[in-house]
Amino acid sequence: MKERLARLRSMLDSLGLGYMLVTKIENVRYLSGFSGSNSVGLVTPTDSILFTDGRYKKQAPAQASGWEIRVYTRSIFNEIAGAVPMGERCGFEVTCSFDFQKKLSVEVDQGRLEPLDGIIEGLRGTKDEEEIVRMRAALGCAKAGFEAIRTMVTAGSSERRIAAELNYRMTLAGADGPAFDTIVSSGPNSALPHAPLTDRPLSEGDLVVVDFGAKRDGYLSDTTRTFLLPGADARAREAFEVVSGALEEVLGSLKPGVKASDVDALANEHIAMAGFAEHLSHSLGHGVGLEIHEKPTLSAISADVLEPGMVFTIEPGAYIEGLGGVRIEELVLMTERGPEVLSADISA
Ligand code: ZN
Ligand code: ZN
């Protein structure tokens, strides 16, 4: 945690700023370890102060070691203003609410407030050892849950039953809960990449997409497996082969320093060459950590470069209206030596 604060201070230093308000709760957690739902951090050149309310007066000091805890009873804005010396400029996160910014500027003159976009999110794009340990633990819960429900993915079972059981099993395995709303989409429903859950019973020949993740200690996992139920027609099998091939090709091309947009293009080319171009509907992948979508972004318009320490998904897909969809999503850690597929041992 100290290392994370040091990296932030040197970033602020290069921007000529001594003070920064941290309002996004994932960012507060990243810097301090505090997991409460109400917090604002203030990083100063020498101190780090955490503002929270009375519900957390025991939890905050226990989790945020090294941080000065200030439990406010009336206006947090007043407290903040008191902690930023007159004449000092203070950065704030552009993701804060309009209401927060408006109230803050009543107490701290607008001219002293500097909007900052993606500073801590940028730091979080590269994981440290402790984060990688936590991500592996989250993934372990997801894997155990998935293994417990795999045999349920058969004709007659329903999307809702499978999703409910998977959420339950991941939690039993140690997860704090699912990382996001679990997707189980079957047959024609699976042609929508983010299909809502239905009561549809699975039937022979269905493609069944199961997109799931576990949350543990704040960290998330994200993996997708597609099942081809017995009796699937040739077009469905072909889509499955094409998507698997695109995944293999992309994984083979990953190395530190590659451009995320090039990786995205490679997957698209593979799928397009196989004649499925019109069936692509999303970008190739995204970083995962304290949030389900974070840095880096693997898309055509991304400026990100894949560096050691980054954890991201590779999730090619093909979706055919009326028939169904195929998506296979792996969670990958980039290392100095190349990619490590963290989710490799989760098999459908
Ligand atoms: Zn996913
Ligand atoms: Zn994903």
Side-chain angles (χ1 to χ4, degrees):
M1 300 269 173
K2 274 195 185 131
E3 182 64 30
R4 297 176 197 171
L5 268 176
R7 284 171 75 196
L8 175 61
R9 284 204 178 94
S10 86
M11 290 281 304
L12 291 176
D13 210 40
S14 66
L15 296 168
L17 278 171
Y19 293 75
M20 178 179 178
L21 276 172
V22 185
T23 43
K24 196 188 228 187
I25 55 168
E26 291 86 359
N27 289 345
V28 172
R29 185 169 192 159
Y30 174 74
L31 293 173
S32 71
F34 179 58
S35 65
S37 64
N38 176 30
S39 59
V40 171
L42 177 67
V43 177
T44 82
T46 50
D47 294 311
S48 42
I49 303 168
L50 186 75
F51 301 97
T52 186
D53 65 69
R55 289 172 298 167
Y56 297 114
K57 69 179 178 218
K58 288 219 166 75
Q59 183 184 334
Q63 289 183 322
S65 72
W67 284 64
E68 182 189 330
I69 310 300
R70 294 200 193 165
V71 175
Y72 65 90
T73 48
R74 289 159 77 182
S75 161
I76 189 172
F77 302 100
N78 203 271
E79 292 272 348
I80 291 167
V84 181
M86 273 301 181
E88 288 286 352
R89 287 189 314 131
C90 183
F92 69 97
E93 300 190 287
V94 292
T95 49
C96 77
S97 71
F98 180 67
D99 183 57
F100 182 92
Q101 195 195 335
K102 210 170 72 180
K103 289 175 177 160
L104 179 64
S105 63
V106 171
E107 300 288 339
V108 181
D109 182 51
Q110 188 70 51
R112 292 166 59 206
L113 294 172
E114 187 74 36
L116 298 174
D117 190 0
I119 300 270
I120 300 171
E121 287 82 352
L123 298 176
R124 281 171 41 201
T126 312
K127 267 70 179 173
D128 57 35
E129 273 309 315
E130 190 187 324
E131 293 185 283
I132 291 166
V133 166
R134 290 187 180 202
M135 294 205 66
R136 286 186 201 273
L139 194 59
C141 298
K143 176 180 190 253
F146 184 73
E147 282 173 352
I149 63 99
R150 206 163 37 195
T151 54
M152 281 179 72
V153 186
T154 51
S157 211
S158 80
E159 294 177 358
R160 189 179 308 280
R161 246 189 82 91
I162 295 166
E165 189 73 20
L166 178 49
N167 293 344
Y168 170 67
R169 293 290 182 167
M170 289 193 293
T171 308
L172 269 188
D176 298 326
F180 51 87
D181 289 344
T182 299
I183 296 170
V184 177
S185 57
S186 61
N189 293 351
S190 61
L192 288 175
H194 271 205
L197 205 55
T198 77
D199 292 305
R200 182 184 184 276
L202 275 49
S203 62
E204 305 273 306
D206 275 354
L207 283 163
V208 185
V209 173
V210 183
D211 189 345
F212 62 103
K215 176 178 190 167
R216 186 181 160 107
D217 280 340
Y219 284 82
L220 312 174
S221 74
D222 186 9
T223 306
T224 305
R225 293 293 179 259
T226 296
F227 295 76
L228 267 168
L229 298 193
D233 77 15
R235 184 79 172 147
R237 284 200 301 273
E238 191 190 350
F240 190 90
E241 291 307 319
V242 167
V243 171
S244 307
L247 177 70
E248 285 311 308
E249 189 169 349
V250 166
L251 292 175
S253 78
L254 290 179
K255 52 177 192 278
V258 295
K259 282 198 218 154
S261 56
D262 287 350
V263 178
D264 180 79
L266 184 65
N268 282 351
E269 264 165 43
H270 185 104
I271 293 169
M273 290 235 305
F276 284 84
E278 74 274 30
H279 307 300
L280 292 163
S281 54
H282 56 80
S283 53
L284 183 64
H286 53 90
V288 182
L290 289 164
E291 291 176 277
I292 198 64
H293 292 119
E294 52 179 60
K295 285 267 185 191
T297 302
L298 287 83
S299 72
I301 56 163
S302 174
D304 295 336
V305 170
L306 302 179
E307 307 282 8
M310 287 182 166
V311 178
F312 50 88
T313 68
I314 297 289
E315 49 181 304
Y319 306 89
I320 306 160
E321 215 182 308
L323 177 69
V326 174
R327 177 165 70 258
I328 308 174
E329 177 178 28
E330 302 287 8
L331 194 60
V332 175
L333 164 67
M334 183 61 89
T335 75
E336 299 283 354
R337 301 170 305 283
E340 178 187 347
V341 182
L342 302 175
S343 51
D345 60 351
I346 300 180
S347 41

